[in-house]
Amino acid sequence: MSNDHSGRIRMMQGNEACAEGALVAGCRFFAGYPITPSTEVAEHLSVKFPKIGGRFIQMEDEIAAMGAIIGASLTGMKSLTATSGPGFSLKQENIGYACMAEVPCVIINVMRGGPSTGMPTLPAQMDVQQARWGTHGDHGIIVLSASSAQESYEQTIRAFNLAEKYMTPVILLLDEIVGHTTEKVIIPDESKIEIVNRRKPAEKPKDYLPYRETEDCIPTLAPFGTGYRYNVTGLCHNETGFPTNDNKIIGKLVHRLVKKIVMHADDIIEVKKTMLDDAEIGIFAYGSVSRSARSAVLKCREMGIKAGLLEPKVLWPFPKKEVLAMARKVKAIIVPELNMGQMAREVELASRCAVPVHKLGRVDGNPIDPREIVDMIKGVV
Amino acid sequence: MFNYLEYIREKNFPHIWCAGCGDGIVLKAILRAIEKSGISLDETVMVSGIGCSSRTPGYVDMNTLHTTHGRAIPFATGVKHGNPKLNVIVITGDGDATAIGGNHLIHAARRNIDITVLLYNNYIYGMTGGQCSPTTPTGSRAATAPFGNIEPPFNTSGLAIAAGASFVARADVYNVANCEKMIAMALAKKGFSLVEILTPCPTAFGRRNKMASPVKLMEWLRDNAVPAAKWKKMTEEERRGRMETGVLMDVDKPEYTAEYEKLVTSLRTGK
Amino acid sequence: MAEEQSASKKPAVIRIKLEWCKGCEICVAFCPKKVLVMEGGKAKVENPGDCIKCMLCELRCPDFAITVE
């Protein structure tokens, strides 16, 4: 979409772009709780939704907001919540519920520094592992990342599409810089935007099984009130949706929840490559840091150092193949990120020790300057 | 004769509740009240949290949603706000609704969203084995109050009234006709309604408090749950340790989803 | 009205679904006419002729095990 320059041009903040993306994606339900630096998503939708019949509600806390969007999604509404670190922690139990009950919904987390209340107004990328493993129990999850207002808009649309397609919660991670930077966004013509809606049951209510075993591992949940009376639970359940203690069925269910994402990884994973073909130094960077990394690549090229950049647009499932391919071509990998190496570890694992992986972590609330990346590359070379 | 089989998921029976647990008595009262109110099962969503009472939705043939501990009301809020045409019933217990979910209870009452909350109060955490809850009477024994509970209990109905619920009633499973009537009135109410239903737990509460037999607990309800008319004539001394049953609050006030709809209409028409 | 009266005079048919009865004794203890007794840990209809169809046993049976017609 970013290559299509035929659209309307608007200036917006990353957070506002998320709200606009949600509207275009067909989202009509938002429940949230105020928290810096994500609140503009809620504020924007509180203005937009009532005008178009969408439903906005400010809940009593983040736990309630997460519960409300799951409830609304079960009535067939595309539902969204937005939060930041501490609120993201509070949502985890119900995110697990959405994984288990396979209820599509989108959670935007505009990352700030932690642990705890941490740095409400300063950028960080400290929630990338929490996004993967924050809720208890084995499960599959989809986590997207955005590095600009443009990507915030596009990735919010993609988050809804993936949620509806795979019947799963999808998390979109921004960091405070992306959420609060106002910049150009090209809004394409709506007819050119792909919108995915969840499957509807083909069978009659009496033959309906919400969690029927299918080849693609994706269940078909009928919206409440449409004549399909079934049970939804966070307990391990069988195809009918009722709790079970049958070990065979439980094992199959948990396997399927993980497999549902893994088997479709190629469809889900998206990376952007910059000057990687002949690169000797590979950079792995996401979110606002990837913008510094892009500058660093250009700077290195000016100096005659062959640097290249791999930007994952999807953090989970992790782009293992793409990282391994890069590791086999370059002499070293640099991972700049606003945490102490949360994704660097994944890069190390995926590169199977083919090359050294150098961490460039920052946790003091400052962004990473392109010069720091260049300096590290010069040191490595 | 009322045919319960038309409303239940027969294949899930017999239910998991212990012998003499009042939850089955409440469930039957709910089904009769639903029949009386004439609401369609297709358009009714029953939402619950975690605990013994929260297993209720598994047994009824409607749209059913068994959620996380304490969070039934937020999920129900999403369902109701997502599709206001649906009738939304929340089944919850004293631990689920007044401890872990206490914040949601008071805010849903304040918002006055059209949800019917049926709160089964058995004074104990039954499913986890009898730990004390926010409604365990002072002095009663529990698995985590082996020497008697030193905390004062919540007046759950009073809490809902103070928070702004438009309909609040208390009922018990001994006076089962009144229980059915209170549920029917709550279902008919447009706004946040709550019925606190006193129901025995012989296994986890009775056994520790010299009322191990279900009959003993039913007798305790008979002697201590007092209909409003009789309550009014009682002295303070007579009221001590007893509970008033019947309608405790019934008032009409703006309902949340209707107010939201008004906002949508006014923004669209400019009126 | 006359029809209703004659209907109520018909002897009661009390059915107990033994596989659902958990033997709590609530029905037996609170039957005003002592129609029911316990036998082998389950409720049993002993004196059906005395039943006045007050329905309390059905209404208070937690196990969906008793019906009165």
Side-chain angles (χ1 to χ4, degrees):
Chain A
M1 277 184 278
S2 9
N3 299 328
D4 182 355
H5 293 271
S6 65
R8 279 178 305 127
I9 291 173
R10 280 191 46 192
M11 293 294 285
M12 7 174 176
Q13 231 190 22
N15 285 343
E16 187 185 344
C18 286
E20 288 295 324
L23 286 166
V24 171
C27 170
R28 291 294 178 271
F29 191 98
F30 180 94
Y33 185 83
I35 184 165
T36 304
S38 76
T39 312
E40 294 83 0
V41 181
E43 288 175 353
H44 198 68
L45 289 173
S46 76
V47 176
K48 293 274 175 154
F49 269 172
K51 293 178 183 165
I52 56 166
R55 308 253 148 200
F56 174 89
I57 187 167
Q58 181 174 317
M59 296 299 286
E60 53 274 16
D61 58 32
E62 284 94 345
I63 302 170
M66 191 61 217
I69 69 164
I70 296 171
S73 180
L74 284 165
T75 70
M77 300 278 249
K78 289 186 183 176
S79 306
L80 173 71
T81 188
T83 189
S84 185
F88 192 52
S89 293
L90 287 172
K91 288 181 193 291
Q92 292 302 330
E93 186 191 9
N94 283 341
I95 291 175
Y97 184 94
C99 290
M100 178 58 121
E102 301 180 76
V103 183
C105 52
V106 175
I107 302 106
I108 294 172
N109 174 9
V110 187
M111 293 182 284
R112 63 193 232 186
S116 189
T117 312
M119 306 177 283
T121 59
L122 299 176
Q125 296 175 315
M126 296 188 195
D127 303 343
V128 288
Q129 288 291 348
Q130 192 194 9
R132 176 63 191 92
W133 291 114
T135 197
H136 57 279
D138 273 314
H139 61 281
I141 192 95
I142 299 174
V143 181
L144 309 184
S145 165
S147 65
S148 64
Q150 182 73 41
E151 277 187 10
S152 298
Y153 178 82
E154 292 166 5
Q155 291 287 69
T156 303
I157 297 170
R158 184 148 201 258
F160 277 102
N161 286 348
L162 290 169
E164 295 281 313
K165 184 172 182 182
Y166 295 113
M167 299 299 284
T168 179
V170 174
I171 295 162
L172 170 58
L173 296 177
L174 271 59
D175 51 65
E176 189 273 340
I177 296 175
V178 178
H180 280 164
T181 301
T182 298
E183 56 186 342
K184 184 176 84 174
V185 176
I186 301 164
I187 311 266
D189 191 80
E190 277 199 32
S191 63
K192 290 181 185 159
I193 300 172
E194 190 205 2
I195 302 295
V196 179
N197 295 309
R198 70 190 78 168
R199 276 199 298 237
K200 291 202 170 86
E203 65 271 51
K204 293 205 170 81
K206 68 174 175 52
D207 304 316
Y208 173 66
L209 287 173
Y211 299 99
R212 189 190 295 280
E213 275 183 48
T214 52
E215 268 178 34
D216 63 11
C217 292
I218 303 164
T220 304
L221 300 188
F224 283 165
T226 55
Y228 294 83
R229 304 202 292 250
Y230 62 101
N231 190 55
V232 180
T233 178
L235 285 167
C236 285
H237 46 271
N238 57 26
E239 286 183 298
T240 66
F242 287 109
T244 181
N245 280 325
D246 183 323
N247 302 92
K248 239 169 116 179
I249 297 173
I250 291 169
K252 253 175 145 174
L253 168 67
V254 179
H255 272 282
R256 185 177 62 74
L257 291 177
V258 174
K259 190 179 165 196
K260 181 173 79 170
I261 305 301
V262 172
M263 74 185 281
H264 299 290
D266 286 343
D267 178 52
I268 299 165
I269 288 170
E270 189 192 344
V271 297
K272 189 176 160 193
K273 297 172 188 167
T274 306
M275 298 183 185
L276 257 186
D277 286 344
D278 63 340
E280 290 174 353
I281 301 293
I283 307 173
F284 179 97
Y286 52 93
S288 66
V289 179
S290 68
R291 303 172 74 151
S292 298
R294 226 171 295 148
S295 300
V297 166
L298 297 177
K299 197 72 140 187
C300 284
R301 291 278 169 169
E302 276 171 25
M303 295 186 297
I305 301 168
K306 288 181 176 171
L309 172 64
L310 182 68
E311 264 178 86
K313 297 301 165 195
V314 175
L315 298 176
W316 306 104
F318 188 77
K320 287 183 204 162
K321 272 196 277 186
E322 291 75 4
V323 169
L324 183 60
M326 172 171 77
R328 284 184 171 148
K329 278 202 274 186
V330 299
K331 290 181 179 143
I333 298 175
I334 313 275
V335 186
E337 52 186 337
L338 295 174
N339 58 52
M340 294 180 71
Q342 291 191 22
M343 287 313 249
R345 202 174 55 177
E346 298 300 325
V347 173
E348 257 175 341
L349 274 171
S351 60
R352 300 190 194 160
C353 304
V355 284
V357 174
H358 301 273
K359 291 178 198 171
L360 176 50
R362 190 175 259 289
V363 290
D364 61 359
N366 275 316
I368 292 178
D369 191 300
R371 283 169 296 192
E372 291 177 75
I373 304 173
V374 173
D375 286 346
M376 183 171 243
I377 291 172
K378 281 201 282 191
V380 169
V381 170
Chain B
M1 191 187 105
F2 184 83
N3 185 5
Y4 294 100
L5 300 184
E6 281 176 24
Y7 293 84
I8 63 169
R9 288 160 167 160
E10 202 181 340
K11 65 179 165 51
N12 295 346
F13 278 73
H15 54 59
I16 59 158
W17 297 310
C18 303
C21 168
D23 290 6
I25 309 176
V26 185
L27 170 54
K28 288 166 75 174
I30 295 170
L31 299 180
R32 293 191 304 273
I34 283 176
E35 190 233 25
K36 270 195 193 133
S37 67
I39 58 177
S40 131
L41 297 183
D42 272 341
E43 285 166 6
T44 303
V45 185
M46 189 181 270
V47 189
S48 69
I50 295 294
C52 295
S53 57
S54 287
R55 285 305 191 95
T56 303
Y59 301 114
V60 298
D61 187 14
M62 325 172 176
N63 306 277
T64 54
L65 179 55
H66 177 228
T67 72
T68 46
H69 195 21
R71 318 304 173 197
I73 291 174
F75 278 69
T77 299
V79 171
K80 185 69 189 179
H81 196 26
N83 182 357
K85 286 186 202 121
L86 297 170
N87 310 297
V88 182
I89 302 169
V90 167
I91 306 290
T92 182
D94 43 309
D96 197 54
T98 70
I100 188 166
N103 196 30
H104 311 310
L105 174 70
I106 57 172
H107 285 281
R110 173 184 62 78
R111 223 172 255 132
N112 198 34
I113 186 164
D114 185 23
I115 290 172
T116 302
V117 175
L118 305 177
L119 192 159
Y120 300 22
N121 183 3
N122 64 0
Y123 304 101
I124 205 85
Y125 283 86
M127 190 158 270
T128 47
Q131 299 76 25
C132 59
S133 89
T135 64
T136 304
T138 309
S140 289
R141 287 171 196 267
T144 47
F147 310 108
N149 183 22
I150 59 166
E151 297 184 22
F154 257 141
N155 172 346
T156 305
S157 292
L159 180 69
I161 292 167
S166 59
F167 180 89
V168 178
R170 196 184 284 119
D172 66 277
V173 298
Y174 179 83
N175 189 347
V176 67
N178 181 62
C179 183
E180 178 186 326
K181 190 176 153 196
M182 293 302 109
I183 295 169
M185 286 179 79
L187 287 173
K189 187 73 187 183
K190 183 86 183 153
F192 185 86
S193 56
L194 179 138
V195 186
E196 178 191 357
I197 303 161
L198 311 178
T199 171
C201 173
T203 307
F205 184 77
R207 239 173 358 111
R208 290 188 177 84
N209 292 285
K210 297 183 180 138
M211 292 182 283
S213 93
V215 173
K216 270 259 164 60
L217 278 164
M218 288 294 271
E219 285 169 350
W220 181 77
L221 284 177
R222 178 192 64 198
D223 300 338
N224 292 290
V226 184
K230 195 174 166 194
W231 180 265
K232 286 192 178 74
K233 292 178 199 149
M234 286 169 98
T235 63
E236 274 305 308
E237 185 59 34
E238 287 169 323
R239 287 177 179 179
R240 195 161 298 144
R242 295 194 162 86
M243 296 80 56
E244 180 187 7
T245 60
V247 177
L248 306 175
M249 169 59 74
D250 190 358
V251 64
D252 290 322
K253 47 171 113 173
E255 189 275 328
Y256 179 80
T257 60
E259 290 303 299
Y260 192 90
E261 208 48 59
K262 271 193 215 163
L263 172 66
V264 169
T265 308
S266 76
L267 288 170
R268 278 178 165 172
T269 59
K271 280 177 202 162
Chain C
M1 195 66 195
E3 214 178 291
E4 270 177 37
Q5 272 175 357
S6 69
S8 68
K9 273 177 196 159
K10 266 200 254 167
V13 180
I14 308 166
R15 292 194 183 88
I16 298 176
K17 201 179 226 176
L18 289 177
E19 63 274 25
W20 286 8
C21 173
K22 288 175 182 160
C24 69
E25 297 192 42
I26 290 173
C27 57
V28 174
F30 297 104
C31 173
K33 293 291 172 186
K34 307 278 175 240
V35 173
L36 303 157
V37 294
M38 291 301 289
E39 189 181 275
K42 306 261 179 182
K44 189 194 163 201
V45 183
E46 184 77 0
N47 309 305
D50 294 349
C51 178
I52 52 166
K53 296 192 201 174
C54 71
M55 307 299 284
L56 284 173
C57 60
E58 179 184 315
L59 295 172
R60 291 202 188 113
C61 170
D63 300 320
F64 291 67
I66 304 184
T67 55
V68 182
E69 246 179 281

